[in-house]
Amino acid sequence: MVDKLLTFEEAVKKFDPTFGIEVHVELCTKTKMFCSAPNPAFENDKSLLENPNTLTTPVSLGLPGALPVLNRQAVEYAIMLGLALNCKIAPRSVFSRKNYFYPDLSKDFQTSQYDLPTCLDGYLDVELEDGEVFRVEIERAHLEEDAGKNTHVGGATGRIQGADHSLVDYNRAGVPLVEIVTRPVRGAGKRAPEVAAAYVKALRDIFKALGISRAQMERGNVRADVNLSLAESGSQELGTRTETKNVNSFNAIKDAAIYEIRRQAAVLSSGGKVNQETRHWHEDSKTTSAGRPKSDADDYRYFPEPDLVPLDIDTQWVERVRKTLPELPAAKRKRLKEEYGFADLEMRDVINAGALDLIEATVLAGSSPQGARKWWMTQLATFASENAITLDEVADTKCTPEQVAALQKLIDAGDINDKIARQVLEIVLNGEGDDPAKIVEEKGLKVVSDDGALVSVIQDAFKKMPKAKDDIAAGNLGAAGPIIGMVMKATGGQADGKRVRELISEEAKK
Ligand code: MN
């Protein structure tokens, strides 16, 4: 234990952080990895999980003599992911038994891949919030099955210590997983926590784009373990690492890395040694605490699974899958940036706000790109933050991209101006109306673009300000400001601004 952490700035001045990340992703195949039991990660159907031990077969319960059969779709998803991560796809991979005892693992071994994984030697270029790109090298991505779930009842913390009893649910046992393991990531310095979080975010976006997982962090579809060590600044040797388990949000990944950097720096600075161990992440206090010691080669007595033949993937299969790969997030961002004509900074803001997919949907529904960007990045973003929900949640529950497009189309057609559009959007967000066009109609919000009505207001204004009329007629358009103001006031802000300016120029010359 250390009494006092170093500040992050002190810590990264004295030490170079190295991190590595293991990500487990649940594949959304219909059935489990080695049997025909329904996969709860297929649709993330909560009701399925409310009835413990119903999504099982003798295989996923690990009954003696039950024989596994490999899920072809899971292999295909792993190939897709491997290709997206620039990995080599191994022509032969082998499932092994990883032996350990835990109540949620009734077989006493996890079927995984060991020395011959399906995907290896890849990389992912990760873009940080300011646009800097950092390459993360990937050592391997292997297929394995998930374990069941223990629930410890009666204690204060939900951990096994202090619990009265524990429940075991095997519904998750046998859910197909791919585990993606990075090589040690060095040289990120003080940006290490950001790179770690951005890497997992980039992975999550790829899972979604490929459609191989629902990829909802909050549902546990994507789970990350963060390895972190420190070395003396400038030293080539790696320090002793800790592995913080199950850090399951992007912010938590960043915060866990920051905490471990500060903690390990304090331990090392006071002459202590970092223990090689797993650590638990505590979301409430944003700290980690010691778990179990972990040696470099925990002895799981791996041996090839005798009930499964080696997995041979021929080049034709790989090439067939390669042809079905959808556009990946990085390529899509590049394309949309060009198509939409967004400036670098605009695009970065859009991406950091998680608004790109919503803007794309809005444009596909008929909006101009800049119009779509404006709504999602201003009024809708404000609404999201005021209500502490995400933009996606706004789109799901309050205002769809189609509604935003309908609103923007009214502006483009000159039916309403920006000011009225904001009112209409407010009405939609408050749940007081669905169809922007109908709201405009019913509330009489249409802009006054009837020339006759506008001209008479303009003439009234000129009577009150004859000098302005002469100035405008003489070409001083700056003098039109007060006249425009009077017209807007007289029409309750519902005048079509562009038409008003045109009419003022015409009328001034008369
Ligand atoms: Mn694993």
Side-chain angles (χ1 to χ4, degrees), residues 326-437:
E327 185 179 36
L328 293 174
K332 181 173 172 179
R333 284 170 188 177
K334 195 162 172 271
R335 174 176 63 82
L336 290 182
K337 180 173 181 290
E338 278 163 24
E339 277 180 26
Y340 294 171
F342 287 174
D344 287 353
L345 196 61
E346 284 177 340
M347 190 64 182
R348 215 175 291 150
D349 287 346
V350 163
I351 290 167
N352 294 338
L356 186 60
D357 288 343
L358 295 169
I359 290 171
E360 187 192 19
T362 308
V363 172
L364 289 173
S367 168
S368 64
Q370 283 295 0
R373 187 188 69 80
K374 183 187 66 189
W375 294 116
W376 288 108
M377 295 302 289
T378 57
Q379 196 170 347
L380 292 165
T382 307
F383 181 86
S385 77
E386 280 172 3
N387 291 278
I389 57 177
T390 64
L391 274 185
D392 283 323
E393 287 168 326
V394 173
D396 286 343
T397 61
K398 297 290 179 185
C399 182
T400 63
E402 288 73 23
Q403 287 170 305
V404 178
L407 185 73
Q408 183 60 35
K409 279 192 269 186
L410 291 170
I411 299 173
D412 294 340
D415 287 347
I416 57 174
N417 57 26
D418 272 25
K419 182 167 168 257
I420 294 168
R422 283 194 291 276
Q423 292 171 28
V424 174
L425 190 53
E426 198 65 40
I427 291 168
V428 173
L429 288 170
N430 289 336
E432 292 157 8
D434 284 332
D435 178 2

Side-chain angles (χ1 to χ4, degrees), residues 22 24 98 110 112 142 144-145 177 179 225:
E22 290 157 35
H24 286 89
K98 179 183 182 180
Q110 180 192 28
S112 181
H142 63 256
E144 61 184 27
E145 59 179 344
L177 299 175
E179 178 178 343
D225 303 331

